[in-house]
Amino acid sequence: MKTKVAIVGANGYSGEELCALLCRHPGVEIVAVSSRTHAGKAVGDVLPRLSGQPAIEGLKFCDSKIDVLLATGAEFFFLALPHGLASEFALPLVKAGRRVIDLSADFRLRSASIYEEFYGEAHPAAEMLGEAVYGLPELHREAIRKAKLVASAGCYPTSILLPLIPLLRAKLIVSDDISVSSASGVSGAGRKADITLLYAECNESLRAYGLPKHRHLSEIEQELGFAAGTPVVITFVPHLAPMTRGIHTTTFGKLAAGVNFAQVEQALAGAYASEPFVRFRGTLPDTKNVNGTNFCDIAVRFDERAGRVILLSAEDNLVKGAAGQAVQNFNLMAGFDETSALL
Amino acid sequence: MKTKVAIVGANGYSGEELCALLCRHPGVEIVAVSSRTHAGKAVGDVLPRLSGQPAIEGLKFCDSKIDVLLATGAEFFFLALPHGLASEFALPLVKAGRRVIDLSADFRLRSASIYEEFYGEAHPAAEMLGEAVYGLPELHREAIRKAKLVASAGCYPTSILLPLIPLLRAKLIVSDDISVSSASGVSGAGRKADITLLYAECNESLRAYGLPKHRHLSEIEQELGFAAGTPVVITFVPHLAPMTRGIHTTTFGKLAAGVNFAQVEQALAGAYASEPFVRFRGTLPDTKNVNGTNFCDIAVRFDERAGRVILLSAEDNLVKGAAGQAVQNFNLMAGFDETSALL
Amino acid sequence: MKTKVAIVGANGYSGEELCALLCRHPGVEIVAVSSRTHAGKAVGDVLPRLSGQPAIEGLKFCDSKIDVLLATGAEFFFLALPHGLASEFALPLVKAGRRVIDLSADFRLRSASIYEEFYGEAHPAAEMLGEAVYGLPELHREAIRKAKLVASAGCYPTSILLPLIPLLRAKLIVSDDISVSSASGVSGAGRKADITLLYAECNESLRAYGLPKHRHLSEIEQELGFAAGTPVVITFVPHLAPMTRGIHTTTFGKLAAGVNFAQVEQALAGAYASEPFVRFRGTLPDTKNVNGTNFCDIAVRFDERAGRVILLSAEDNLVKGAAGQAVQNFNLMAGFDETSALL
Amino acid sequence: MKTKVAIVGANGYSGEELCALLCRHPGVEIVAVSSRTHAGKAVGDVLPRLSGQPAIEGLKFCDSKIDVLLATGAEFFFLALPHGLASEFALPLVKAGRRVIDLSADFRLRSASIYEEFYGEAHPAAEMLGEAVYGLPELHREAIRKAKLVASAGCYPTSILLPLIPLLRAKLIVSDDISVSSASGVSGAGRKADITLLYAECNESLRAYGLPKHRHLSEIEQELGFAAGTPVVITFVPHLAPMTRGIHTTTFGKLAAGVNFAQVEQALAGAYASEPFVRFRGTLPDTKNVNGTNFCDIAVRFDERAGRVILLSAEDNLVKGAAGQAVQNFNLMAGFDETSALL
């Protein structure tokens, strides 16, 4: 018997990608897809890319209301909603005994005060922060398996955490001298009517934004701090690049005293040798090689003239950075093979 | 009477852009356009974008040979050739009393040994290194006016030097803690049959390359060192972005002890208040706003949590990064208004 | 003394391009740039690409009100407004003795009833339709010189009319068997917050739209009918292509009885031999060769198996298809060289 | 037990896509992947997108030699080779009792003389033309099931044949008045070092090519003629559009006498109601909705003013236009569900 799942807020880019992935999942039945604006419409009409997929044949968007959602019989709920709104669903769903994979930022922080510092408002459900697990399987696999509420890790954070964590854990780089430059495809900004996201505004355009204190810094520094065993502050500059998908991150770090570069390479190779979705390799990552996949590609180089370690990583912001990660978390929670629907 | 100019090697992207700009120059007569592969063909047939421009009406590519070039009567020669080849032309042209604007890297370094370190071969005309002037007007305007041979500054270097130089001169940032992440459009790699530059390889692709020791580092560090009054070593990571034109550079620096951020802003504002082609502004630079222009846009932000200064700059790699800069240098050398053909 | 001009509605793509072109015009002084939403802001802040241009130094957007506009002393007014709105300005400005170049569709038709058929509402100023001249210089040059109100020809129409008109005038192709497939860059849809125009919706996307009766058909068929001496009905399919600028049009026609293909080539060559902005050539047009220019490139091929003439044309929708054409019309009206600011 | 397959020539775009699809096929074991240039290298090193896929774990490219290929034990061979070369493999493989899916044009025509007319050389294995089946499942499903050699239909042909065939079969449109305008992504031209395919040559570029007699016309007209019961000659204009993947085709036809448009819609709806990979729908096709899928989307509109039927279709040139179609053919040949690995 298949596991029943529901997707709440399926008309954004992450929600659409989630539907596409779950359509392929051999152990899943999609029993509900919800949207406030599209309730009543056939899924294939709103998301024409998915039309003709047997898994959504005849399925119509239902309204994004708790009682409607609970009545569908779904055991697992994916929340692909804007931050702030997700917690309104997570709370009652978990209380009703359902398990939730939240793609928003609502439950990624352990500290309500840090949430307030970065998001500019009080956390809407601070009592659940202790229960939620940060949904990056490479870091928290065992906790995810048992979690009721998984806060699936964000796109920039995933691309920054995966290369840095093994080096901070082993104290191979200095923890207070880290600068990060990331570039994201435009889908990362969501499907919203905003002049700055128009084709003619983004094509032939590369620009930084959100300086100097991007919201994602809070979850990045939280997890880096856990790895380093000490608070970590980094400088992070996100850029918008003229592409639909993909995040490329370049991280500058300083080799710690007494460490040689071979140790850095070994730490990364060791950390990811048996990870199904991290490819630590000799060649430099390229977003085109990860787009449409759940892989995060990582490479490292050493600038011996400056004593700096350069970490490079690439992922699809909508897959490993959002929907794929959510499915990977779900697979762990539901007891499926971790790679189901993802290879 | 118009000033006679020749363009040597006009079928690459920089050479084509140079032709386009000089077609608009009210004080210039293009007397020769040369190319080894296209000699004898009409310029408008090889470069269809320029067809119909009165300034190249009837003009055919001549062969790239010194005697042919000298016979054209040109007083100024633009060399848009691969590095190594340019010096074969610069030497005899200067000896024959002509003035040369070289767009290649051949004469940008003052030290033949640094050239050899970065380019892997002995400099082909080391005796001229002392005579050449580094062609970045914002740094060396007066020397350029009188120079016989100007080594027009490169694309990455221009975008990195313009924001950093005023800060290093005033010792506002630490000179040994600078990391730079740049992204360039694909035209920066030239018009050459190379699989890695195909549309289907570069679209939806963002990737670093040339790590860890890009050749342009040599000229960047030379000019940074002059500004700082001490040798400077930086970490530089160039990326290829899916766009035809444009370079965006993000530079991470550390505020020097006892300096406050307002001084940084004042130093930049002061340095560029009367520069015609540097726009230091409050808004973040975007390649689309400089493409097709000779402007370099600069902004600065302060990450007070980490004590880091973030410099952002954008330019068109083929204009301020190549052909436009060459024309700006030429305007200074020939006594034209510095902005002729460039606004 | 320079000619004073004003641009009404300068914050769309055509208006911005118009500003950029007029900044370069040696005989023009821009005395006003208006916008309802940006009144009071510096032009260079709203349109950062133009910042630093001496011609708009210190210029602020004024309000788009007739009395404000008249008070600026401008002799010529460019209207870069949505259709329907333009006539509200054209009427009082012409009555006040000013000359107007309208980039909208408001005055392109000679017949108020055809306007109503295609635009779904009564014409707002039908009494002026007789006075306006259709602003395609290659067709109506002499009338444009003397006109008080020029309705600058649209982007699709220009790319369709220029190749077809000489053939219909000489009756070389059948007038009732013409099909047209055009593809436009996304800037053609304007700078408006519309989800279907987002980068992530348009990238890797090619789609037809506006079928089967696009509004521009009305002016196309009007001018084709004048050329053929008989009413002409065509089939027209516009497409949106993943690029910022450029229109490429492929037109299928049938060779008329007794005509050979050489006559077709001669008619086109003859028609455009001395036109400054039409390049009829052997090679196939490519939008990249016309982007940023006021050229329309045309080629023709013969499919002798099917007896069909294939016309191919390319132009920059924002230049020859909008702002450049407007300046070309203005040059004729004001007595400047027709190519001023356009080469 | 899984079915053993081999891919000959896997380093082009179609070959790579084929590997990606077969990696997901639950009933397939990839026993060999061949390439003349990459023999001996790990598949994941040459095709980094596929690295980490369990199905190619440890697999190295073998040499593209018949004896090597036969020794692998593969029962089915996919040939992803340039035309002309494929027949050198097809012939001996079929003679050795293997079954072949050829993605090239070598065996798509029934007539050796038409091959010679369009390809400019004698057919290399004319004796096999009678045995090969044209691999478009929607047309020849039953023959494909039993075929030894399937000539998988090409990208442009698939997008043109699927909308037209039902209308010609039912004589709803005139067979001698068909014009087709197609636009393809750049991957359609293959992974080859060619300056005209560079990013900076294709971006912001839309251009027709291959006029007036593209090679694919031969197979298109062959199949259209079979459907119409009479020879069909069409006019076909292919274009290159700035995107990696996707073909969009717009077809102009004339409604036959006595036919009304509703019959056209019914014919298409009826033909494709139960086809798993053809979506005939009310909304206009968009390449972005088919990219990465094996669907061909079709819509139809009527221009009643001109009496013309406008057919619109879109597909991913590398999937339904190449690799996906090949897998669909394979599924039929090998007795798998037709949609295996394709949904």
Side-chain angles (χ1 to χ4, degrees):
Chain A
M1 223 182 71
K2 297 194 169 188
T3 301
K4 295 182 176 178
V5 309
I7 303 161
V8 184
N11 54 322
Y13 292 124
S14 295
E16 179 176 1
E17 189 72 15
L18 199 48
C19 281
L21 290 172
L22 291 172
C23 279
R24 277 201 220 149
H25 198 300
V28 157
E29 182 189 354
I30 305 175
V31 295
V33 170
S34 88
S35 157
R36 285 185 178 172
T37 44
H38 296 295
K41 293 185 200 161
V43 176
D45 288 348
V46 175
L47 305 173
R49 179 161 73 111
L50 301 185
S51 173
Q53 287 286 352
I56 57 148
E57 181 90 30
L59 198 64
K60 291 186 177 173
F61 276 95
C62 68
D63 202 353
S64 294
K65 288 184 178 166
I66 293 293
D67 52 351
V68 174
L69 291 167
L70 285 174
T72 63
E75 302 154 69
F76 287 85
F77 288 80
F78 291 90
L79 307 183
L81 297 164
H83 83 90
L85 188 57
S87 59
E88 294 179 23
F89 289 84
L91 209 61
L93 289 170
V94 169
K95 282 190 180 154
R98 306 304 195 276
R99 296 175 80 189
V100 171
I101 302 100
D102 179 15
L103 281 77
S104 86
D106 279 9
F107 298 100
R108 292 182 190 154
L109 298 179
R110 297 288 68 79
S111 153
S113 67
I114 289 182
Y115 181 94
E116 195 165 342
E117 177 192 346
F118 279 84
Y119 289 85
E121 50 195 344
H123 193 281
E127 71 274 26
M128 289 194 70
L129 289 180
E131 191 162 354
V133 174
Y134 190 72
L136 190 52
E138 290 78 6
L139 297 189
H140 303 293
R141 183 169 280 118
E142 293 316 311
I144 292 166
R145 284 192 212 279
K146 292 168 286 184
K148 286 180 182 162
L149 171 57
V150 168
S152 211
C155 51
Y156 284 125
T158 298
S159 76
I160 295 168
L161 293 171
L162 289 177
L164 276 174
I165 294 278
L167 308 190
L168 287 174
R169 281 187 178 157
K171 304 197 186 306
L172 301 178
I173 59 167
V174 175
S175 71
D176 65 353
D177 191 359
I178 297 174
S179 293
V180 177
S181 173
S182 290
S184 172
V186 185
S187 65
R191 184 180 262 153
K192 60 185 179 222
D194 179 336
I195 281 185
T196 67
L197 303 178
L198 294 183
Y199 187 90
E201 300 297 322
C202 295
N203 189 36
E204 288 291 284
S205 160
L206 207 139
R207 56 194 200 247
Y209 68 97
L211 290 182
K213 202 173 162 189
H214 192 281
R215 286 170 167 181
H216 281 181
L217 263 177
S218 52
E219 59 181 285
I220 295 166
E221 292 180 350
Q222 167 182 284
E223 297 295 317
L224 292 180
F226 291 159
T230 179
V232 172
V233 171
I234 68 168
T235 296
F236 169 51
V237 181
H239 301 76
L240 203 62
M243 53 196 196
T244 296
R245 288 168 176 242
I247 282 185
H248 185 284
T249 290
T250 297
T251 301
F252 301 87
K254 268 280 193 191
L255 209 58
V259 172
N260 64 54
F261 182 59
Q263 291 171 270
V264 168
E265 294 183 297
Q266 285 155 17
L268 285 162
Y272 296 123
S274 30
E275 280 296 338
F277 294 118
V278 180
R279 300 186 292 203
F280 174 64
R281 298 193 301 183
T283 51
L284 294 176
D286 185 333
T287 55
K288 74 168 178 279
N289 291 328
V290 294
N291 279 352
T293 83
N294 196 49
F295 290 104
C296 178
D297 283 359
I298 297 176
V300 65
R301 292 291 185 275
F302 186 48
D303 177 0
E304 59 182 341
R305 299 163 72 250
R308 253 187 216 98
V309 171
I310 305 165
L311 292 158
L312 307 119
S313 49
E315 67 180 24
D316 184 330
N317 59 305
L318 295 181
V319 186
K320 184 61 178 166
Q325 187 121 277
V327 172
Q328 191 180 352
N329 285 320
F330 161 76
N331 283 336
L332 290 167
M333 294 165 81
F336 289 109
D337 183 299
E338 189 172 338
T339 67
S340 290
L342 295 175
L343 283 178
Chain B
M1 225 182 69
K2 296 194 169 187
T3 301
K4 294 182 176 178
V5 308
I7 302 161
V8 184
N11 54 319
Y13 292 124
S14 295
E16 180 177 359
E17 189 72 16
L18 199 48
C19 281
L21 291 173
L22 291 172
C23 279
R24 279 202 218 149
H25 199 300
V28 155
E29 181 188 354
I30 305 175
V31 295
V33 170
S34 87
S35 158
R36 281 184 179 171
T37 44
H38 295 296
K41 294 185 199 161
V43 174
D45 287 349
V46 174
L47 305 173
R49 179 160 74 111
L50 300 186
S51 174
Q53 288 286 353
I56 58 149
E57 180 91 27
L59 197 65
K60 291 186 179 173
F61 276 95
C62 69
D63 202 352
S64 294
K65 287 184 179 165
I66 294 294
D67 52 351
V68 173
L69 291 167
L70 286 175
T72 63
E75 302 154 68
F76 286 84
F77 288 81
F78 292 90
L79 307 183
L81 298 165
H83 84 89
L85 188 58
S87 60
E88 293 179 23
F89 287 83
L91 208 62
L93 289 169
V94 169
K95 282 192 179 152
R98 303 307 195 276
R99 296 174 81 187
V100 171
I101 302 101
D102 179 15
L103 280 78
S104 86
D106 279 10
F107 298 99
R108 293 181 190 154
L109 299 179
R110 296 288 70 77
S111 153
S113 67
I114 289 182
Y115 181 93
E116 194 165 344
E117 178 192 344
F118 278 84
Y119 288 85
E121 51 195 345
H123 192 282
E127 70 274 25
M128 289 194 70
L129 290 180
E131 191 162 352
V133 174
Y134 189 72
L136 190 53
E138 290 78 7
L139 298 189
H140 303 293
R141 182 169 280 118
E142 294 316 310
I144 291 166
R145 286 192 210 278
K146 291 167 287 185
K148 286 179 182 163
L149 171 57
V150 167
S152 210
C155 50
Y156 284 125
T158 297
S159 76
I160 296 167
L161 294 171
L162 289 176
L164 276 174
I165 293 278
L167 309 190
L168 286 174
R169 280 188 179 157
K171 303 196 187 306
L172 301 178
I173 60 166
V174 176
S175 70
D176 66 352
D177 192 358
I178 297 172
S179 293
V180 178
S181 174
S182 291
S184 172
V186 186
S187 65
R191 185 179 262 152
K192 60 186 180 221
D194 179 335
I195 281 184
T196 66
L197 303 178
L198 293 183
Y199 185 88
E201 300 296 321
C202 295
N203 189 34
E204 288 291 283
S205 160
L206 207 138
R207 57 194 198 249
Y209 68 96
L211 292 181
K213 203 174 161 186
H214 192 279
R215 285 168 168 182
H216 281 179
L217 264 177
S218 52
E219 59 181 284
I220 296 165
E221 292 180 351
Q222 166 183 287
E223 298 295 317
L224 293 180
F226 291 159
T230 178
V232 172
V233 170
I234 69 168
T235 296
F236 170 50
V237 181
H239 301 77
L240 203 62
M243 52 196 196
T244 296
R245 287 169 178 241
I247 281 185
H248 184 283
T249 288
T250 297
T251 300
F252 301 87
K254 270 279 193 192
L255 210 58
V259 171
N260 63 55
F261 182 60
Q263 293 172 268
V264 168
E265 293 182 298
Q266 285 155 17
L268 285 163
Y272 297 122
S274 31
E275 279 296 338
F277 294 118
V278 180
R279 300 187 293 203
F280 174 65
R281 298 193 302 182
T283 50
L284 294 175
D286 185 331
T287 56
K288 74 167 178 280
N289 291 328
V290 293
N291 279 352
T293 82
N294 197 50
F295 290 104
C296 178
D297 282 1
I298 297 177
V300 66
R301 292 291 186 274
F302 186 48
D303 178 0
E304 60 183 339
R305 300 163 72 251
R308 258 191 211 94
V309 172
I310 305 165
L311 293 158
L312 306 118
S313 49
E315 68 180 24
D316 183 330
N317 61 304
L318 296 181
V319 186
K320 184 62 178 167
Q325 185 121 279
V327 172
Q328 191 179 352
N329 285 318
F330 160 77
N331 283 336
L332 290 168
M333 294 166 81
F336 288 109
D337 183 299
E338 189 171 338
T339 67
S340 291
L342 296 174
L343 284 177
Chain C
M1 222 181 73
K2 295 196 171 185
T3 301
K4 294 181 176 179
V5 308
I7 303 162
V8 184
N11 54 321
Y13 292 125
S14 295
E16 179 176 1
E17 188 72 17
L18 200 47
C19 282
L21 290 173
L22 291 172
C23 279
R24 275 201 221 151
H25 199 299
V28 156
E29 181 188 355
I30 305 175
V31 295
V33 170
S34 88
S35 157
R36 283 184 179 174
T37 44
H38 296 296
K41 294 186 200 162
V43 175
D45 287 349
V46 175
L47 305 173
R49 180 162 72 110
L50 301 186
S51 172
Q53 287 287 352
I56 57 150
E57 181 90 30
L59 197 64
K60 290 186 179 173
F61 275 95
C62 69
D63 202 351
S64 294
K65 287 184 177 164
I66 293 295
D67 52 349
V68 174
L69 291 168
L70 285 174
T72 63
E75 303 155 68
F76 287 85
F77 288 80
F78 292 89
L79 308 183
L81 298 164
H83 84 89
L85 189 58
S87 59
E88 293 179 24
F89 289 84
L91 210 60
L93 289 170
V94 168
K95 281 189 180 155
R98 304 304 195 278
R99 296 175 79 188
V100 172
I101 302 101
D102 178 15
L103 281 75
S104 86
D106 279 9
F107 298 99
R108 292 182 190 153
L109 299 179
R110 297 287 69 78
S111 153
S113 67
I114 290 182
Y115 181 93
E116 194 165 344
E117 177 193 345
F118 278 84
Y119 289 85
E121 50 194 346
H123 193 281
E127 70 275 24
M128 288 194 71
L129 290 181
E131 193 162 352
V133 174
Y134 189 72
L136 190 53
E138 290 78 7
L139 297 189
H140 303 293
R141 184 168 282 117
E142 293 316 311
I144 292 166
R145 285 192 210 277
K146 291 167 288 185
K148 287 179 182 163
L149 170 58
V150 167
S152 210
C155 51
Y156 283 126
T158 297
S159 77
I160 295 167
L161 293 172
L162 289 176
L164 275 174
I165 294 279
L167 307 190
L168 286 174
R169 280 186 179 160
K171 304 197 186 305
L172 300 179
I173 60 166
V174 176
S175 70
D176 65 353
D177 192 358
I178 297 173
S179 294
V180 177
S181 174
S182 290
S184 172
V186 185
S187 65
R191 185 180 261 153
K192 61 185 179 222
D194 179 335
I195 282 184
T196 66
L197 303 179
L198 294 183
Y199 187 89
E201 300 296 323
C202 294
N203 189 35
E204 287 292 284
S205 161
L206 206 137
R207 56 193 200 249
Y209 69 96
L211 290 182
K213 204 173 161 188
H214 191 281
R215 285 170 167 180
H216 280 181
L217 262 177
S218 52
E219 60 180 284
I220 295 166
E221 292 179 351
Q222 165 182 286
E223 298 295 316
L224 293 180
F226 291 159
T230 181
V232 173
V233 171
I234 68 167
T235 297
F236 170 51
V237 182
H239 301 77
L240 204 62
M243 50 197 198
T244 296
R245 289 170 175 239
I247 281 186
H248 184 284
T249 289
T250 297
T251 300
F252 300 88
K254 267 283 192 189
L255 209 59
V259 171
N260 63 55
F261 181 60
Q263 291 172 268
V264 168
E265 295 182 296
Q266 286 155 17
L268 285 162
Y272 297 122
S274 29
E275 280 296 338
F277 293 118
V278 181
R279 299 187 293 203
F280 174 64
R281 297 194 302 183
T283 50
L284 294 176
D286 184 332
T287 55
K288 75 168 177 279
N289 291 326
V290 293
N291 280 352
T293 82
N294 197 49
F295 290 105
C296 178
D297 283 359
I298 298 177
V300 65
R301 292 291 186 274
F302 187 48
D303 178 359
E304 59 182 339
R305 298 163 73 249
R308 255 190 214 96
V309 171
I310 305 164
L311 292 158
L312 307 118
S313 49
E315 68 180 25
D316 184 329
N317 60 305
L318 295 181
V319 186
K320 184 61 179 168
Q325 187 121 276
V327 172
Q328 191 180 351
N329 285 320
F330 161 76
N331 283 336
L332 290 168
M333 293 165 81
F336 288 109
D337 184 300
E338 189 172 339
T339 67
S340 290
L342 296 174
L343 283 178
Chain D
M1 226 184 65
K2 296 196 170 185
T3 300
K4 295 182 175 178
V5 309
I7 301 161
V8 184
N11 52 321
Y13 292 124
S14 295
E16 180 176 1
E17 188 72 16
L18 200 46
C19 281
L21 290 173
L22 292 171
C23 279
R24 278 201 220 150
H25 199 300
V28 156
E29 181 189 355
I30 304 174
V31 294
V33 169
S34 88
S35 156
R36 282 183 178 172
T37 44
H38 295 295
K41 295 184 199 161
V43 175
D45 287 350
V46 174
L47 305 173
R49 179 162 72 111
L50 302 185
S51 173
Q53 287 286 352
I56 57 149
E57 180 92 29
L59 197 65
K60 290 186 178 172
F61 276 95
C62 69
D63 203 352
S64 293
K65 286 184 179 168
I66 294 294
D67 53 349
V68 174
L69 291 167
L70 285 174
T72 63
E75 302 155 68
F76 287 84
F77 288 81
F78 292 89
L79 307 183
L81 297 164
H83 84 89
L85 188 58
S87 59
E88 293 179 24
F89 288 84
L91 208 62
L93 289 169
V94 169
K95 281 190 179 154
R98 305 305 195 276
R99 295 176 81 188
V100 172
I101 301 101
D102 179 15
L103 281 77
S104 86
D106 279 10
F107 297 100
R108 292 181 190 156
L109 299 179
R110 298 286 69 78
S111 154
S113 67
I114 289 180
Y115 181 93
E116 195 166 344
E117 178 193 344
F118 278 84
Y119 288 84
E121 51 195 345
H123 192 282
E127 70 276 23
M128 288 194 71
L129 290 180
E131 193 161 350
V133 174
Y134 189 72
L136 189 53
E138 290 78 7
L139 297 189
H140 303 292
R141 183 169 280 118
E142 294 315 311
I144 291 166
R145 285 192 211 278
K146 292 167 290 185
K148 287 179 181 161
L149 170 58
V150 167
S152 211
C155 51
Y156 283 125
T158 296
S159 76
I160 296 167
L161 293 171
L162 289 176
L164 275 174
I165 295 276
L167 307 190
L168 286 174
R169 280 188 178 157
K171 303 195 187 307
L172 301 178
I173 59 166
V174 177
S175 71
D176 65 352
D177 193 359
I178 297 171
S179 294
V180 177
S181 174
S182 290
S184 172
V186 186
S187 65
R191 185 179 261 153
K192 60 185 181 223
D194 179 335
I195 281 184
T196 67
L197 304 178
L198 294 183
Y199 187 88
E201 300 296 323
C202 294
N203 188 35
E204 287 290 286
S205 159
L206 206 138
R207 57 192 198 249
Y209 69 96
L211 290 182
K213 204 174 161 187
H214 191 280
R215 284 168 167 181
H216 280 181
L217 262 177
S218 52
E219 61 180 283
I220 295 165
E221 292 180 350
Q222 166 182 286
E223 297 295 316
L224 293 180
F226 291 160
T230 179
V232 172
V233 171
I234 69 167
T235 297
F236 169 51
V237 182
H239 302 76
L240 203 62
M243 51 196 196
T244 296
R245 287 169 176 240
I247 281 185
H248 185 283
T249 289
T250 297
T251 300
F252 301 87
K254 268 280 191 190
L255 209 59
V259 171
N260 63 55
F261 182 59
Q263 292 172 268
V264 167
E265 294 182 298
Q266 285 154 17
L268 285 162
Y272 297 122
S274 29
E275 280 296 339
F277 294 118
V278 180
R279 300 187 291 204
F280 173 64
R281 299 193 300 182
T283 50
L284 294 176
D286 185 331
T287 55
K288 74 169 177 279
N289 291 328
V290 294
N291 279 352
T293 83
N294 197 48
F295 289 105
C296 178
D297 283 1
I298 297 177
V300 66
R301 291 292 185 275
F302 186 48
D303 177 0
E304 59 182 340
R305 299 163 72 251
R308 257 191 212 94
V309 171
I310 305 165
L311 293 157
L312 307 118
S313 49
E315 67 179 24
D316 184 330
N317 60 305
L318 296 181
V319 187
K320 184 60 179 168
Q325 185 120 279
V327 172
Q328 191 180 352
N329 285 319
F330 161 77
N331 283 336
L332 290 168
M333 294 165 82
F336 289 109
D337 183 301
E338 191 173 337
T339 67
S340 291
L342 296 174
L343 282 177

